Amino acid sequence: RLYLKEISEKFKDCEFKIDFGHYWYSMRDWSEQKGEQRTNWVSVASSWIRRDMRDGKLAVKKDNKVIPHDNHR
């Protein structure tokens, strides 16, 4: 979870309660499945979050519960 704080800091002014844990676990799973590493995971997460915002698939929390979406990597 090294990058979780850095990722959430980039979106601190966002109107949505983004589920940053979802994106952290998604990146970890993606990396393990593909056997790939990145030098800047914060940038990767930011790209995924912005893409999901654009596509209406953002993983958000409501009352500390994750709202499911259909975004599978």
Side-chain angles (χ1 to χ4, degrees):
R1 292 189 181 249
L2 293 173
Y3 302 107
L4 210 47
K5 183 177 179 182
E6 293 174 54
I7 295 166
S8 62
E9 187 65 26
K10 285 191 125 195
F11 292 92
K12 67 182 177 191
D13 296 327
C14 182
E15 63 184 290
F16 302 106
K17 292 182 182 178
I18 299 171
D19 180 11
F20 296 106
H22 164 80
Y23 290 99
W24 185 85
Y25 283 111
S26 293
M27 288 188 316
R28 186 191 69 180
D29 294 346
W30 177 85
S31 176
E32 288 176 3
Q33 289 173 358
K34 302 284 185 178
E36 294 190 30
Q37 293 294 316
R38 296 288 187 256
T39 56
N40 190 342
W41 285 109
V42 174
S43 178
V44 172
S46 296
S47 295
W48 287 8
I49 291 168
R50 283 192 309 276
R51 182 200 58 219
D52 286 355
M53 286 174 133
R54 180 193 69 221
D55 295 346
K57 297 180 179 181
L58 184 65
V60 296
K61 291 183 177 185
K62 182 176 181 180
D63 300 326
N64 293 323
K65 295 178 183 174
V66 176
I67 298 173
H69 56 80
D70 297 325
N71 187 19
H72 301 289
R73 291 184 181 31

